[in-house]
Amino acid sequence: MFPLILIFFITASAVTYILLKPKLIERRRNKIRKQPFPKKWREILRQNVPYFYNMPADLQLQLKQHLLVFIDEKDFMGFEGIQINDEIKITIAAQACLLLLNRDTNYYNKLKSIYVYPEAFVTNHPTKDAAGVVHEQRRVLSGESWELGKVILSWRDTKDGAMVTDDGRNVVIHEFAHQLDQETGSANGAPFLKHKNRRCWSEVLSKEFDILQSQTQRGEASLLDKYGATNPAEFFAVASEVFFEQPHDMQEIHPQLYSQLQGLYQINPALWI
Ligand SMILES: [Zn+2]
């Protein structure tokens, strides 16, 4: 028979490890955040991520520290001839970490791997129609966010999105907004909110989603890309792109939406863009 003392020891060790794990992770991350930021990486930021140099100095520092942790923790894998290098990693990480500033973060802890393709890629997704028939749907995508620890990105679209900072289109912000949304289960446009206004968030986002759906049906122009009318999860991802890249337009046309996103992201890009 397994000695009781041994069972007790194993259980106590497991419980201690579970309790200490977050502290150990945070200690390791603190060490990484204190590492010097390589000069070569700074040069990549200067060339590929002009957004970075618009930000206030304290946010630039935060972003660099997040970037060090992100690159240490995530696996990058290249497909169809892509060789992963510092340029690819820094350009992706800098944009992904924009969504983590000014608040406690667990660095997209469900996310393990980032797959990078040279250009837009083709996926086959089974969809079910009203009669329950499953169809294979071929789609060409510039990015995709999976719940099971994976983000897929087109390098061409990633780089273009980083270089053009004011067109409201950014595939990395889009896919990582989905990752935030997926941290609390299936993506539904309601990411975990620390601020108290959860009900207000739902009201504003629902109202704005309905407006975009109506505009789309009527063929009217809209600040937010029509793809956001697909469902609440896509609406949140599309709205996040515009929040970071066209904050003044969003403040003017959708002030309540801007205010909710400001509450979530804890930053105000209108002050520096
Ligand atoms: Zn999406």
Side-chain angles (χ1 to χ4, degrees):
M1 203 177 84
F2 219 49
L4 268 179
I5 186 76
L6 201 54
I7 293 172
F8 173 77
F9 179 74
I10 291 169
T11 309
S13 301
V15 169
T16 307
Y17 176 72
I18 289 165
L19 290 175
L20 281 180
K21 196 179 171 195
K23 279 199 168 69
L24 294 173
I25 290 173
E26 197 44 37
R27 190 186 296 170
R28 190 177 58 78
R29 286 174 174 168
N30 268 334
K31 266 192 199 165
I32 294 169
R33 283 192 279 258
K34 284 177 187 151
Q35 287 172 2
F37 196 80
K39 196 176 165 197
K40 190 180 156 204
W41 289 13
R42 209 174 303 138
E43 185 57 23
I44 294 167
L45 282 178
R46 201 181 63 74
Q47 286 190 351
N48 284 12
V49 193
Y51 196 98
F52 176 79
Y53 285 96
N54 290 331
M55 294 163 60
D58 63 316
L59 293 184
Q60 287 185 15
L61 177 63
Q62 272 190 53
L63 191 78
K64 284 194 287 187
Q65 291 174 338
H66 283 337
L67 206 146
L68 287 163
V69 175
F70 186 95
I71 285 181
D72 180 77
E73 294 189 359
K74 309 304 177 194
D75 292 326
F76 289 78
M77 296 169 74
F79 291 84
E80 296 181 358
I82 281 275
Q83 299 288 328
I84 296 297
N85 55 29
D86 282 354
E87 184 190 6
I88 292 175
K89 290 201 274 191
I90 298 297
T91 307
I92 292 171
Q95 297 174 87
C97 291
L98 280 175
L99 282 64
L100 308 179
L101 296 166
N102 272 354
R103 61 186 196 282
D104 290 341
T105 176
N106 209 0
Y107 294 94
Y108 307 106
N109 68 320
K110 284 186 179 175
L111 174 69
K112 304 291 176 238
S113 306
I114 297 151
Y115 290 6
V116 187
Y117 285 78
E119 303 200 351
F121 49 92
V122 177
T123 61
N124 290 305
H125 283 287
T127 55
K128 227 183 234 182
D129 66 18
V133 180
V134 175
H135 303 274
E136 280 294 326
Q137 194 181 44
R138 274 170 70 80
R139 293 196 297 161
V140 180
L141 299 174
S142 55
E144 194 170 46
S145 171
W146 290 50
E147 283 180 26
L148 300 172
K150 191 164 68 175
V151 163
I152 309 174
L153 293 167
S154 142
W155 171 232
R156 180 195 287 261
D157 293 279
T158 294
K159 197 169 173 182
D160 288 352
M163 301 286 282
V164 184
T165 58
D166 58 358
D167 64 349
R169 304 285 179 91
N170 186 303
V171 67
V172 178
I173 290 175
H174 184 106
E175 301 309 335
F176 280 84
H178 281 320
Q179 281 292 311
L180 284 183
D181 200 1
Q182 288 162 341
E183 279 182 356
T184 47
S186 293
N188 58 4
F192 175 71
L193 294 172
K194 267 208 162 169
H195 67 107
K196 296 171 200 146
N197 284 342
R198 203 174 169 82
R199 189 194 289 174
C200 192
W201 169 274
S202 300
E203 284 171 11
V204 171
L205 272 278
S206 299
K207 190 180 82 183
E208 297 278 356
F209 175 62
D210 290 345
I211 291 170
L212 185 61
Q213 280 202 314
S214 303
Q215 288 174 321
T216 304
Q217 281 158 8
R218 293 198 295 262
E220 289 174 10
S222 58
L223 175 66
L224 302 179
D225 191 281
K226 302 281 190 288
Y227 187 60
T230 310
N231 57 46
E234 294 304 342
F235 180 81
F236 167 61
V238 165
S240 295
E241 293 177 75
V242 176
F243 173 76
F244 282 94
E245 294 215 341
Q246 296 175 316
H248 297 287
D249 291 341
M250 185 182 263
Q251 254 187 337
E252 194 183 322
I253 302 170
H254 304 278
Q256 288 184 318
L257 181 59
Y258 187 85
S259 168
Q260 289 302 315
L261 290 165
Q262 195 184 340
L264 172 73
Y265 287 120
Q266 296 289 303
I267 57 169
N268 186 0
L271 292 179
W272 69 81
I273 296 296

